[in-house]
């Protein structure tokens, strides 16, 4: 189960809305071995695409160095889908390389409402998990 603060959910959704019609992406880091998302890190979608996201390799390297130095790990890896449901695509599954991360997807296909869902992706197997939003 993903337990995540309301302010972090709001940040993710706002980022997804801002970048629409392109996909948005980012990370929420947390202390090692805690499974607690704490530090919101919006990233640039280097692909600048409405159907695909890609972290800039230099930005990603910098982020992992920062997290390593601060004793953090990527607790949540998020991105948006702009015209489909919030469910991992085959490409999303093939790129999922953090077995302990929560993969959050937000769909912005409806301008009035959004879908916010979380998944575990391990060895190509997608498992949806409940989300508890903490006030």
């Amino acid at each position: 189960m993903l337990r995540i603060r309301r302010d972090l959910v709001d940040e993710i959704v706002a980022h997804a809305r801002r970048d629409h019609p392109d996909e948005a992406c980012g990370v929420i880091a947390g202390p090692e071995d805690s499974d607690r998302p704490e530090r919101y890190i919006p990233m640039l979608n280097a692909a600048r695409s409405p159907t695909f996201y890609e972290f800039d390799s230099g930005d990603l390297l910098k982020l992992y160095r920062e997290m390593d130095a601060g004793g953090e790990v990527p607790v949540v890896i998020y991105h948006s889908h702009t015209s489909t449901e919030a469910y991992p695509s085959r490409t999303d599954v093939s790129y999922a390389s953090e077995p302990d991360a929560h993969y959050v997807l937000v769909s912005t296909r409806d301008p009035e409402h959004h879908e916010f869902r979380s998944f575990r992706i391990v060895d190509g197997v997608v498992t949806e998990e409940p989300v508890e939003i903490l006030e």
Side-chain angles (χ1 to χ4, degrees):
M1 170 185 285
L2 171 61
R3 289 179 174 85
I4 185 169
R5 295 189 328 252
R6 164 79 56 202
D7 64 305
L8 296 172
V9 171
D10 292 346
E11 291 278 10
I12 291 170
V13 172
H15 183 197
R17 291 279 183 213
R18 263 192 321 274
D19 282 13
H20 189 91
D22 289 341
E23 290 191 3
C25 57
V27 172
I28 302 178
E32 287 182 59
D33 301 321
S34 73
D35 198 38
R36 203 171 59 240
E38 292 186 352
R39 186 166 66 99
Y40 170 73
I41 307 144
M43 303 285 283
L44 174 68
N45 178 356
R48 298 179 194 241
S49 167
T51 58
F52 178 75
Y53 83 98
E54 181 177 32
F55 292 118
D56 177 84
S57 58
D59 290 347
L60 197 58
L61 179 61
K62 180 181 172 203
L63 172 62
Y64 271 80
R65 285 181 176 157
E66 274 178 22
M67 288 190 299
D68 285 345
E72 294 176 311
V73 295
V75 176
V76 170
I77 298 171
Y78 75 86
H79 76 281
S80 62
H81 282 181
T82 60
S83 60
T84 60
E85 72 174 315
Y87 191 86
S89 69
R90 283 185 302 231
T91 303
D92 297 338
V93 173
S94 71
Y95 280 17
S97 60
E98 293 286 349
D100 295 327
H102 301 271
Y103 285 89
V104 166
L105 278 102
V106 175
S107 176
T108 56
R109 64 182 169 175
D110 181 334
E112 302 298 319
H113 302 94
H114 65 270
E115 294 172 68
F116 186 99
R117 298 167 72 184
S118 184
F119 304 87
R120 294 292 189 149
I121 305 174
V122 180
D123 296 328
V125 177
V126 177
T127 306
E128 186 164 8
E129 63 181 348
V131 176
E132 180 183 353
I133 299 175
L134 309 170
E135 297 302 330

